[in-house]
Amino acid sequence: MRLFLIRHGQTDSNVNHLLDTAHPGAPLNATGHRQAEELARTLADEPIQAVYASTLTRAQETAAPLAAALGLEVEVLDGIHEISAGAEEMNADWSVYVGVLESWSPSNLDVGIDGGETAREFITRYGEAVQKVEQAGHDVAALVSHGAALRVFALTVAPHLPRASTPELKNTEWITLEGSSDDGWRVVQWGPNTFG
């Protein structure tokens, strides 16, 4: 199947560089709403059969125009929310959070931020959510999720991508995956970068 893994639109927490990972999270700001509308126009001709959003407000608000353009309802999917910042929540200094996430590797899965989650916990819950989407039988689906979660999940299922080809996703940019959890995933697009 093909999965569009989309980062939500802009929030005031993004503008102020705050680690906003807890529920329900900040809503979209005016720019974020415009981005969501533009996203809907950009993807309106894609053969997307289902639109999923995380349990956080900003993801659902981003997904709504896209779903409407496709004649679909937004399906809220547990498990694709942002990686918890735990004790670092709403901190403007991301160094601890980013440092922990960058330390994650196949040999370092059980480290996490105080009050947050480990790599193993995150990868398990995100992977299980994606499997639910696969089991629904869609050929093409869109998941509106979050920057750190999308990056870590995609690099986990496609670990050999060159880091230079995997920049931070801007608001409403996406990663496109093709394949399955059983057979493996291939990244065909990461933000502005496409792969043959």
Side-chain angles (χ1 to χ4, degrees):
M1 76 175 303
R2 173 174 282 214
L3 283 178
F4 290 90
L5 303 178
I6 304 165
R7 187 184 176 203
H8 62 80
Q10 187 187 87
T11 69
D12 286 344
S13 294
N14 295 151
V15 174
N16 295 314
H17 203 65
L18 299 176
L19 271 172
D20 183 0
T21 69
H23 292 82
L28 297 182
N29 60 21
T31 296
H33 281 290
R34 287 193 297 272
Q35 291 170 334
E37 294 290 346
E38 179 60 29
L39 174 72
R41 288 189 290 272
T42 300
L43 295 180
D45 293 330
E46 294 288 344
I48 295 169
Q49 298 163 322
V51 177
Y52 295 88
S54 88
T55 51
L56 298 178
T57 300
R58 57 192 179 271
Q60 295 171 41
E61 291 179 338
T62 302
L66 176 60
L70 297 166
L72 301 169
E73 297 291 329
V74 175
E75 299 181 53
V76 177
L77 181 62
D78 191 30
I80 62 168
H81 48 282
E82 184 60 288
I83 299 171
S84 173
E88 298 296 313
E89 184 71 13
M90 299 307 285
N91 196 338
D93 179 357
W94 290 41
S95 57
V96 172
Y97 182 75
V98 171
V100 168
L101 269 55
E102 289 186 345
S103 79
W104 286 352
S105 69
S107 62
N108 188 35
L109 294 175
D110 295 307
V111 171
I113 294 170
D114 182 31
E117 59 191 325
T118 66
R120 191 182 308 276
E121 290 167 337
F122 165 71
I123 291 164
T124 298
R125 56 102 162 162
Y126 209 100
E128 288 175 350
V130 168
Q131 287 175 358
K132 289 179 184 177
V133 175
E134 294 176 78
Q135 290 162 4
H138 311 299
D139 293 321
V140 185
L143 278 65
V144 181
S145 184
H146 306 270
L150 292 174
R151 181 177 184 80
V152 172
F153 177 73
L155 287 174
T156 299
V157 299
H160 303 299
L161 280 177
R163 290 286 174 141
S165 299
T166 60
E168 178 183 352
L169 290 176
K170 297 177 182 176
N171 293 110
T172 63
E173 287 187 338
W174 63 85
I175 299 164
T176 308
L177 298 180
E178 291 183 350
S180 70
S181 296
D182 288 339
D183 299 329
W185 294 102
R186 181 171 63 94
V187 174
V188 297
Q189 181 174 353
W190 188 300
N193 298 324
T194 57
F195 304 90

